[in-house]
Amino acid sequence: MNRLGRKASETLIEMAPSADDDIAVLTKFKLLQSEGEESNGPLCETLSTAGSEVPSSSEIDKRHQSKDSIFFRDGVRRIDFVLSYVDDLNKEWEKKLERRKEFESNLQKAGLELETEDKKESEDGKIYFVKIHAPWEVLITYAEVLNIKVPIKENDIPSMVENPLDCMLTPFRLPEKVMHPEPDYFTAPFSKEKQELYLINDESTFFSPSMRNRIVNYILTRCPYGTEEGKKKFGIKRLLNNGTYSAAYPLHDCQYWKKASDPNCDNERYTLYMEWARFLRFYKEQPLDLIRKYYGEKIGIYFAWLGFYTEMLFLAAVVGVICFLYGLFTMDENMSSKEICDPAIGGEIIMCPLCDRECEYWRLNTTCESSEYSHLFDNVATLFFAIFMGIWVTLFLEFWKRRQARLKYEWDLVDFEEEQQQLQLRPEYEAKCTQKKKNPVTQEMEPYLPLTSQAVRFCISGTTVLFWVSLIIASMIAVIVYRLAVYAAFASLMENTQTLQPISGLLTPQLATSVTASCLNFVIIMILNFIYERIAIWITDMEIPRTHMEYENRLTMKMFLFQFVNYYSSCFYVAFFKGKFVGYPGAYTYMFNRWRNEECDPAGCLIELTTQLTIVMAGKQIWGNIQEAIVPWICNWWGRRKARNNPENLYSRWEQDHDLQTFGALGLFYEYLEMVIQFGFITLFVASFPLAPLLALMNNILEIRVDSWKLTTQYRRPVAAKAHSIGVWQEILNGMAILSVVTNAFIVAFTSDMIPRLVYYYAYSESDDSPMSGYINNSLSVFLISDFPERNKPKTNPENFVICRRKQTIENKMKRFLKRQLYLPVQRLSISSRSREEIFTHYAVLAHSCCKTGLYNYYGARCIHRQILCSMDDS
């Protein structure tokens, strides 16, 4: 028997229940509600008679209904929203049935029209679909409530004079019909009493589909469904959470890969896919007006911001590539790398061991390759690029404000604040706040949360946030301990493994430790993100924010604070703490009195910061694209695998959309968060990695198309929402811009070797032909191996070295030592000011001499101290 015949018999068996059967009661209830309407009305359920083999009228309609139908069975009333549910016979079945009954009854009282598709009509035979249509009276009533602006007159202001250079941009333009899908109008808020003022040519098309689903969603979120536990319950969100309904969504207007057969369909989804969502259109401008019309202003302004950000990244990427190429072309001219790689200089410099006991003395020229690659990112151009990015980030934010103001005007959002959409009370707030008080402005009774309850909730919230931030810091400390613990193992492994000898110059123990620690840190970041996302939503729900805007702002700040610490803490450690507190030979600093603090590579910590930044930034972008594109595609493919073999006319529009993924109310929030974190990577630490803007540019070109592709093809149509700006993200970007100036200045000053090189160039250089000659020797301290304590001394010294060298990182400690041991005692001596001045002059000469001979270290300080004391005795 074919599918239609099989379904007819199943309908016979299951739809001939006893009088007290709940399905029959529900069907009878709907039939009574629809009494007086046509047999194909919105609530009519046609039942098959016993023994009949003829398909029911609904099945006949289904057979002849287009796959792309977005109308009721009468082909006239548009489907504005769809609810779905599964009748699972569990202990709460009756309770869910009562909720649905009450909810749908109240929707009808609100003026909405419903039409139910029996589960026998669904592809899997399990899901009921309730289609909702908003008639004209409902639309005009709530359009006035929501202050929706509608056309009153076509814009007759002459367009601006065209720029003669616009012809050069023709290859990047889209067709005019795509860029501007409807004429420009003068608009005004809708009023029922003044309908004659508006351009109402056709009531069925006067309100766009996005306006219609926004109105229906407003009703759904406030429609009551009963009283439970003494509290009034309402809203589709709560019904979705408790399983009464499985989904609620507006319909796409057609399939994305082909146009609908219905001539009344606008096929906007198809147009968006063909002109915007395909990767081969990456060089084309975005159809922002069409995006706004189909998805609403909130999604439209996100893509406008993302597109503008990507355009501005192009300039930063070009300058970054130029700075990188400068480092590449001048690599062979870098005197520091030459001296390190020179066997007569770097090969003769014996460096102190980098860990206790297990590590051996090593020659400086073993880091030849890493010092050469370090020059790619640590050169004169780094200073210029840091200054340039400080200017760029300011221009980006200011130009975006201008672009945003223009969009507000073009999209009639200038006085959006008056619409109060985001300032309306959340249904959850109204439901949980049972106490009421008079609003002094409106003189109306409004629910409120007592101050004591607010204080308790904020205390719990703050404590939870601090706990999770502390957990991130603890995880970072654990990664640092990992770095300290495995360094000796890597050093021993590379020393004793012959197969690693060919790459030992490039893959140093420092680099191996840094790469593995960065990968481990990235894994921890992803795990903590997954957990904290749910914690942040739970905390924000517990606070019971009053309005939608409050809810979004609080959630945004919590998530950003966590992500900021999670993603950037490791970069801050490498940039500003690693190698700064290592102590000196004979008095090293230990973490927890066990693990010796790690030192930077002789070529500097900047190359390690670059490694850390590249792994975390690139890994996040790759993982983000996998989550956004591949995972939804796999889920949809798995969900639709059975429908591939079904005839086209048996797989309806609402079933197709039901099988797609849910974008969710926080879908756009995660998109903004992803881009803002990326913005931090290319601004906070860009001095260490000039190619970061280029990576971000390539990612964003892909991101725009991935986001558009998944919205158009893999997700249900989101409910349209209004927004006049990017919201609190603007303030976050401003804060990061200010912080980026500080961090890049600190990177240049403390992490990069730029400042020491400039000081040597202008103050200590002895050769006019090669000003940087001798810099490496000047930058290394000298230590007598005989002064090593047993705890630090290597197990073997086969070549009987007498001294070892190390990077100068104790200048401030030595200065404090000399001040404590020399300056203060001399000041207290009862001698003439002339004698005191002679002592200080003698100290200065000796100190300068030690600096030039590379003795600017703890041992040199002791030497100076002894000689100065002798001078004091002579005095």
Side-chain angles (χ1 to χ4, degrees), residues 140 282 308 315 320 499 502 524 563 575 590 608 631 648 657 703 727 746 787 795 808:
I140 60 176
F282 72 91
F308 182 80
L315 178 61
T499 56
I524 293 174
Q563 300 256 12
Y590 290 82
E608 295 188 43
V631 172
E648 184 173 296
D657 285 10
E703 181 76 19
F746 275 48
D787 286 348
K795 293 179 180 179
Q808 292 179 12

Side-chain angles (χ1 to χ4, degrees), residues 37 192 361 574 595:
E37 295 185 6
K192 290 176 68 175
Y361 301 102
V574 175
W595 293 286

Side-chain angles (χ1 to χ4, degrees), residues 808-842:
Q808 292 179 12
T809 57
I810 58 168
E811 293 86 352
N812 292 334
K813 188 179 289 292
M814 193 196 72
K815 289 175 183 177
R816 290 195 298 270
F817 169 84
L818 288 175
K819 181 177 181 180
R820 183 174 65 252
Q821 300 292 340
L822 172 67
Y823 182 80
L824 295 179
V826 171
Q827 288 284 31
R828 288 194 291 267
L829 288 177
S830 300
I831 58 177
S832 65
S833 58
R834 181 176 179 181
S835 298
R836 189 180 291 113
E837 183 177 352
E838 288 176 356
I839 292 174
F840 288 143
T841 302
H842 188 43

Side-chain angles (χ1 to χ4, degrees), residues 296-302 404 407-408 411 413 416 419 421-422 552 668 672 720-727:
E297 286 81 0
K298 195 170 186 178
I299 291 179
I301 208 150
Y302 162 73
Q404 187 172 261
L407 284 175
K408 285 172 65 175
W411 291 355
L413 299 171
F416 173 70
E419 295 186 24
Q421 183 196 5
Q422 293 296 312
E552 289 186 7
L668 213 55
Y672 274 118
K722 281 206 167 190
H724 69 289
S725 68
I726 60 175

Side-chain angles (χ1 to χ4, degrees), residues 517-537:
S518 299
C519 294
L520 177 62
N521 183 64
F522 175 71
V523 173
I524 293 174
I525 285 173
M526 293 296 105
I527 294 173
L528 290 177
N529 272 351
F530 177 79
I531 299 173
Y532 185 77
E533 282 179 6
R534 287 143 185 81
I535 298 294
I537 294 173

Side-chain angles (χ1 to χ4, degrees), residues 470-486:
S470 302
L471 187 62
I472 298 172
I473 296 174
S475 69
M476 185 190 70
I477 294 174
V479 173
I480 294 173
V481 170
Y482 164 84
R483 300 171 75 114
L484 303 180
V486 304

Side-chain angles (χ1 to χ4, degrees), residues 593-816:
N593 293 320
R594 180 175 179 182
W595 293 286
R596 176 176 150 186
N597 286 352
E598 59 181 336
E599 301 180 37
C600 291
D601 191 278
C605 271
L606 199 68
I607 187 66
E608 295 188 43
L609 178 59
T610 302
T611 303
Q612 177 80 23
L613 186 65
T614 304
I615 290 175
V616 176
M617 180 179 176
K620 181 184 181 303
Q621 292 177 349
I622 293 171
W623 178 249
N625 286 325
I626 290 174
Q627 279 186 312
E628 292 182 16
I630 298 178
V631 172
W633 181 82
I634 292 175
C635 293
N636 289 336
W637 172 82
W638 183 258
R640 290 194 303 248
R641 67 194 188 282
K642 293 181 180 179
R644 294 173 181 272
N645 301 322
N646 290 332
E648 184 173 296
N649 62 335
L650 297 180
Y651 192 39
S652 60
R653 161 63 39 214
W654 44 90
E655 292 177 84
Q656 295 173 50
D657 285 10
H658 180 270
D659 290 339
L660 298 177
Q661 300 299 299
T662 304
F663 189 66
L666 297 177
L668 213 55
F669 166 82
Y670 293 115
E671 301 297 339
Y672 274 118
L673 184 62
E674 178 186 3
M675 288 295 102
V676 170
I677 294 297
Q678 183 205 82
F679 180 80
F681 279 124
I682 70 163
T683 54
L684 296 177
F685 308 101
V686 74
S688 66
F689 190 33
L691 293 181
L694 179 63
L695 291 181
L697 175 64
M698 293 189 295
N699 174 79
N700 286 9
I701 291 174
L702 179 63
E703 181 76 19
I704 291 175
R705 303 304 156 180
V706 167
D707 287 349
S708 59
W709 174 80
K710 72 179 185 182
L711 266 178
T712 308
T713 67
Q714 304 301 311
Y715 282 85
R716 296 171 187 163
R717 185 173 183 172
V719 177
K722 281 206 167 190
H724 69 289
S725 68
I726 60 175
V728 72
W729 298 109
Q730 183 75 44
E731 301 304 320
I732 292 175
L733 292 174
N734 290 337
M736 295 183 74
I738 296 171
L739 182 60
S740 69
V741 176
V742 179
T743 55
N744 283 300
F746 275 48
I747 288 173
V748 172
F750 301 114
T751 309
S752 168
D753 279 347
M754 180 60 55
I755 301 300
R757 286 174 187 164
L758 291 175
V759 171
Y760 180 82
Y761 182 88
Y762 289 107
Y764 300 106
S765 177
E766 295 179 345
S767 173
D768 295 333
D769 296 333
S770 182
M772 294 303 294
S773 296
Y775 169 74
I776 293 298
N777 184 63
N778 180 271
S779 66
L780 298 175
S781 303
V782 177
F783 183 77
L784 286 176
I785 291 176
S786 59
D787 286 348
F788 259 128
E790 283 301 317
R791 179 182 182 181
N792 306 131
K793 186 181 294 186
K795 293 179 180 179
T796 59
N797 185 6
E799 299 186 44
N800 297 319
F801 298 122
V802 177
I803 63 170
C804 65
R805 310 289 294 275
R806 63 184 300 278
K807 193 173 179 62
Q808 292 179 12
T809 57
I810 58 168
E811 293 86 352
N812 292 334
K813 188 179 289 292
M814 193 196 72
K815 289 175 183 177
R816 290 195 298 270

Side-chain angles (χ1 to χ4, degrees), residues 230-291:
K231 294 183 180 179
K232 187 178 180 181
K233 302 291 184 179
F234 56 89
I236 187 63
K237 183 178 179 181
R238 190 180 294 272
L239 291 173
L240 291 171
N241 291 337
N242 60 33
T244 303
Y245 289 101
S246 59
Y249 53 93
L251 292 179
H252 283 294
D253 62 355
C254 66
Q255 296 175 355
Y256 67 85
W257 66 87
K258 69 176 183 178
K259 293 184 177 181
S261 56
D262 192 334
N264 296 323
C265 182
D266 294 331
N267 296 297
E268 291 174 348
R269 185 189 188 192
Y270 170 79
T271 303
L272 285 170
Y273 174 72
M274 297 301 294
E275 302 291 346
W276 178 52
R278 294 189 300 166
F279 181 74
L280 293 179
R281 314 290 284 181
F282 72 91
Y283 61 94
K284 294 284 189 179
E285 61 184 337
Q286 297 188 85
L288 294 178
D289 287 344
L290 184 57
I291 297 170

